[in-house]
Amino acid sequence: PPAPPAYDPNATYVAFIVGDGDNVEMVTSSRARWMTARHARCAPPAPPCAPLAWTLSPHLSYLAPAVLGWFRAQAAPLADDFVLPPSGHLYAYPSQLNEADRRRFVARTEADARVLDTSGTVAWEFAGTWENAIEHYFPLYAAAGVVHGAFAVNVPFDLPVAAFGRGEDFKVLGAGAGGGGGALA
């Protein structure tokens, strides 16, 4: 893939993420129907649609490799992409894990990111645990530089992420090789 564009602090970045791709039944039913409809509406020669990021279970690579291949083939002409579902390797709240388990979780999430050829994951944490995640969990991704973006979703969903200050939409965490970091958006 082409190198990502340089970060512009004056630009506004938006990602539209289609969720529930951690649920293989939903991937093979409603999400497949959505992708089929989107492909019919947006694939060339139709006018292009805004790109979407679809959460998709990396476990499809061994559970349903044909399904994973189908989604990749459908997404390619749309400029759609994939991100790991909550919270990467498995549906979890990683800041609640002990340090050894957090490190294993990060390593497995990085391996999964390679499977999906992505550098992003949806990240779920409970309200009140984000400070711990920001301090002890997310910086672990900076070492290998595989996962660069974590899209924060608070649980319960109707509360803002209090660890983000007023007007603060993202945090840059850690410094990897070459001065890169992992962004929490």
Side-chain angles (χ1 to χ4, degrees), residues 42-127:
C42 304
C49 298
L52 297 178
W54 298 75
T55 60
L56 205 56
S57 173
H59 305 292
L60 289 172
S61 66
Y62 60 87
L63 292 173
V67 172
L68 177 58
W70 181 85
F71 268 88
R72 283 182 167 152
Q74 298 301 302
L78 305 176
D80 284 5
D81 214 336
F82 301 103
V83 294
L84 293 170
S87 277
H89 180 63
L90 295 171
Y91 182 98
Y93 301 91
S95 74
Q96 303 303 294
L97 301 172
N98 66 47
E99 182 179 351
D101 288 339
R102 262 195 317 265
R103 290 184 181 282
R104 278 191 290 276
F105 190 87
V106 166
R108 290 177 179 152
T109 297
E110 290 170 338
D112 293 339
R114 289 181 183 103
V115 167
L116 285 186
D117 191 26
T118 187
S119 61
T121 184
V122 172
W124 283 16
E125 290 292 339
F126 289 111

